Each structure stands twice: as structure tokens, then as C-alpha cells.
């Protein structure tokens, strides 16, 4: 059996217990360069029965899936599945799995770090001091402010719990409200308009699907109050980036902390990189040693369970 890791760049598999475990399942080929070129990805997967997808920028399109006739399983390292044509995969007899929850705490921590850094203006203060200034700006206090959480899946609920711990009033909106979860964590659900109009900090944690593309549209961004901070550690496609840039440039909102973008890596000279009220990180919210080891182990376990006839964490069934 041939198992291919087509896109381990930057490398995370080499030297891990997960790779040793994978080699006990079958022959493993690990490619430590990008597979964003469809021709390259097709060639790497042509003879594979199993694929371990590392990078979300690797796109398993209908054409690629159709060309890989031996492929039976795509085991995604991570939660997001928007880089795979799930309907075509199922139609081609390819099961798709992911590793939900492996990065939840790490991404939630990164979310809170961005929130604190933007609100407290830590980066501008650091830069000013390095240039010889001594800025003593008044910055907001978070306790008692309202944190709006869009999406209360595994990451969103962790952010809600951390926000509650910081003394924020947490309100949330999601497609599938869970009253028991709200009571347990200590937040309440609100209507979408109320959430947008009243949040001091808005953090987005929805899944990227065709239905949520530009969920934060120009019209919805316009509902945010002028002092609001937007945090996005989910997917860049959830926000109308051009509209967000306009809001930030015109100071219609106070600032943003962004770990994800519509185009990744962020192109040189991108408008977001010119704005002083934005803090940017390189889609690194889930990049911790703990997440890497746990997620890789889950991805391998998904392959093992599939071969036992008991697939786990299935997002598209053949």
C-alpha cells in the first residue's frame, strides 16, 4: 500500500512518531515541497491509495480527484476541509477525514493573544520605543467589555471560555445553538444583528463553506461599532477582505488581528500590511509542538481505523 504526503512544507512529519507509525501501515513517500501546482499534485498522488494532507493551500479539485483512480482516503491534518471537493471525493469513492479539536486550545490562545495585543496596542508601543519615543497612550480595559463569538464549535467555545475568564461579557451566534454549552461555559446566544452592532471585540470561528464565503460582508462589517476590534483565526474567505481594508483605512472600526487571509501567503505590498491598526500573523495559530504531535497522530489513526473498517472523523464518506 502506498501512502503519500504530498505537501509537507514547511516540514512537520520528519522524525516524528507519527511517521514511524505510518511506515508500519505501508510504503510512505513524503514530499517536503509545495503541491499547489495541480500537475505536481496529480503526479505525486497518481499511484497512492492513501494521502495525508498537511497544507490547506493544497487543493484537491474534481480534476485531481478524478485523475487519482487508486486513491481511497485523504486524511487531513487539521480541521478545515475547504481545500477538498468533498462531493466529488465521495462520488469517486474517496473518504475524507480530518483531526477536529487537535488545535482548538492553541488557536483559541492565539485568538486571545491577538485580541490583547491589538486592544492594548502592544506592537505600536514596542515599535515607538525602539525608535526612541515613549508613548503613554490610553488603551481600553477589556473587563466588562463584550466579546462576540461567531461560531461555537471546538475553537469558538474555547475562546468563549477564555473570554469569560478574562471578565468579558461573552455573546455568541452560530448556525446550531447549544443551550447546554452556553450554560456550561457562561455565555449567551444572540441574534446576528445584535452581536455585530454591540460587540467590542468580534472573533470569527465559522467553518469555510460556500455558504459562509464573505460571511462578514461589506454590509455586515458596516454594522460593527467604530471602536470594534475584529479577530480572524478561522479562514480568510469568511471576510470580505476589500471591505475590511476600507473599514480599517477609514477607521470605521478600530483595528483587527488577522492570522488568515484570502490569499496565503500574503502577497508582498498587500494593503493590509500597510495599515497601522492591523496585527498580522502567518496562519500560525495552531502551530505548536503539542498540536503537531497530536494532529499527526490523529491523522495516522484515521488511516488505521479506515483500514480496520471503522473510519473515524469522516467529513466525506465514499
Amino acid at each position: 500500500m502506498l501512502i503519500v504526503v504530498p505537501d509537507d512544507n514547511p516540514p512537520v512529519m520528519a522524525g516524528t512518531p507519527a511517521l514511524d507509525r505510518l511506515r508500519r501501515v505501508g510504503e510512505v513517500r513524503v514530499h517536503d515541497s509545495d503541491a499547489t501546482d495541480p500537475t505536481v499534485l496529480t503526479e505525486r498522488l497518481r499511484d497512492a491509495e492513501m494521502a495525508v494532507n498537511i497544507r490547506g493551500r493544497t487543493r484537491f479539485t474534481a480534476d485531481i480527484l478524478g485523475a487519482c483512480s487508486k486513491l481511497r482516503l485523504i486524511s487531513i491534518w487539521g480541521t478545515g476541509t475547504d481545500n477538498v471537493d468533498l462531493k466529488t471525493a465521495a462520488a469517486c469513492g474517496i473518504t475524507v477525514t480530518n483531526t477536529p479539536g487537535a488545535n482548538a486550545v492553541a488557536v483559541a490562545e492565539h485568538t486571545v493573544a491577538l485580541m490583547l495585543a491589538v486592544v492594548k496596542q502592544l506592537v505600536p508601543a514596542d515599535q515607538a520605543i525602539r525608535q526612541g519615543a515613549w508613548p503613554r497612550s490610553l488603551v481600553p480595559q477589556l473587563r466588562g467589555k463584550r466579546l462576540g463569538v461567531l461560531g461555537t464549535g471546538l475553537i469558538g467555545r474555547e475562546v468563549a471560555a477564555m473570554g469569560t475568564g478574562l471578565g468579558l461579557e461573552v455573546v455568541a451566534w452560530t448556525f446550531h445553538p447549544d443551550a447546554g454549552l452556553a450554560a456550561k461555559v457562561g455565555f449567551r446566544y444572540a441574534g446576528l444583528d445584535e452581536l455585530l452592532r454591540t460587540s467590542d471585540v468580534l472573533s470569527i470561528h465559522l467553518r469555510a463553506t460556500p455558504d459562509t464565503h464573505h460571511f462578514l460582508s461589506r454590509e455586515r462589517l458596516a454594522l460593527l461599532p467604530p471602536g470594534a476590534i475584529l479577530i480572524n483565526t478561522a479562514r480568510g474567505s469568511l471576510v470580505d477582505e476589500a471591505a475590511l481594508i476600507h473599514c480599517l483605512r477609514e477607521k470605521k472600526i478600530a483595528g483587527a488581528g488577522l492570522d488568515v487571509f484570502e490569499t496565503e501567503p500574503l502577497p508582498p505590498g498587500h494593503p493590509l500590511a500597510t495599515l497601522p491598526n492591523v496585527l498580522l500573523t502567518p496562519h500560525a495559530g495552531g502551530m505548536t509542538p503539542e498540536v503537531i504531535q497530536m494532529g499527526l497522530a490523529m491523522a495516522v489513526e484515521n488511516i488505521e481505523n479506515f483500514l480496520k473498517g471503522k473510519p473515524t472523523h469522516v467529513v466525506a464518506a465514499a
Side-chain angles (χ1 to χ4, degrees), residues 50-303:
M50 310 280 158
V52 179
N53 169 221
I54 301 294
R55 302 299 168 193
R57 58 181 176 268
T58 302
R59 307 203 67 81
F60 294 79
T61 63
D63 289 343
I64 289 169
L65 295 171
C68 300
S69 58
K70 298 180 182 179
L71 196 60
R72 298 164 56 199
L73 174 70
I74 299 171
S75 179
I76 297 173
W77 174 58
T79 303
T81 59
D82 51 305
N83 61 318
V84 181
D85 186 330
L86 298 177
K87 289 182 179 179
T88 299
C92 291
I94 301 169
T95 298
V96 182
T97 62
N98 66 349
T99 58
N103 67 348
V105 171
V107 174
E109 288 181 349
H110 196 85
T111 300
V112 173
L114 286 173
M115 177 175 66
L116 288 167
V118 174
V119 170
K120 299 300 183 182
Q121 300 177 22
L122 299 185
V123 173
D126 174 84
Q127 292 173 341
I129 291 171
R130 292 172 189 272
Q131 295 168 8
W134 193 249
R136 302 271 296 188
S137 304
L138 292 177
V139 296
Q141 182 171 297
L142 279 175
R143 178 169 291 189
K145 300 294 194 300
R146 175 171 287 189
L147 169 62
V149 178
L150 278 176
T152 53
L154 294 173
I155 296 173
R157 67 187 62 179
E158 289 285 350
V159 171
M162 291 178 188
T164 299
L166 287 171
L168 287 152
E169 178 199 1
V170 180
V171 294
W173 180 91
T174 192
F175 287 105
H176 306 290
D178 183 338
L181 173 66
K184 179 181 177 181
V185 176
F187 67 87
R188 72 174 178 87
Y189 286 106
L192 183 57
D193 273 13
E194 179 193 344
L195 188 80
L196 297 175
R197 292 181 188 277
T198 63
S199 292
D200 298 294
V201 179
L202 180 67
S203 190
I204 186 165
H205 302 285
L206 299 172
R207 287 183 58 197
T209 69
D211 291 335
T212 59
H213 181 77
H214 285 186
F215 186 85
L216 284 185
S217 60
R218 181 177 296 273
E219 293 75 20
R220 285 176 174 160
L221 286 168
L223 298 179
L224 296 175
I229 300 291
L230 173 66
I231 306 295
N232 188 6
T233 55
R235 283 291 188 270
S237 64
L238 296 167
V239 181
D240 183 335
E241 205 165 84
L244 175 61
I245 290 167
H246 172 77
C247 287
L248 291 163
R249 188 174 281 152
E250 300 299 319
K251 294 186 171 54
K252 295 182 181 296
I253 63 173
L258 307 174
D259 187 48
V260 290
F261 310 93
E262 291 206 75
T263 301
E264 295 182 5
L266 197 67
H270 193 281
L272 283 171
T274 69
L275 298 172
N277 53 346
V278 183
L279 178 56
L280 310 173
T281 56
H283 203 152
M287 297 301 293
T288 69
E290 295 86 353
V291 167
I292 289 172
Q293 296 304 322
M294 185 187 304
L296 291 176
M298 287 178 67
V300 174
E301 185 177 41
N302 285 341
I303 291 176

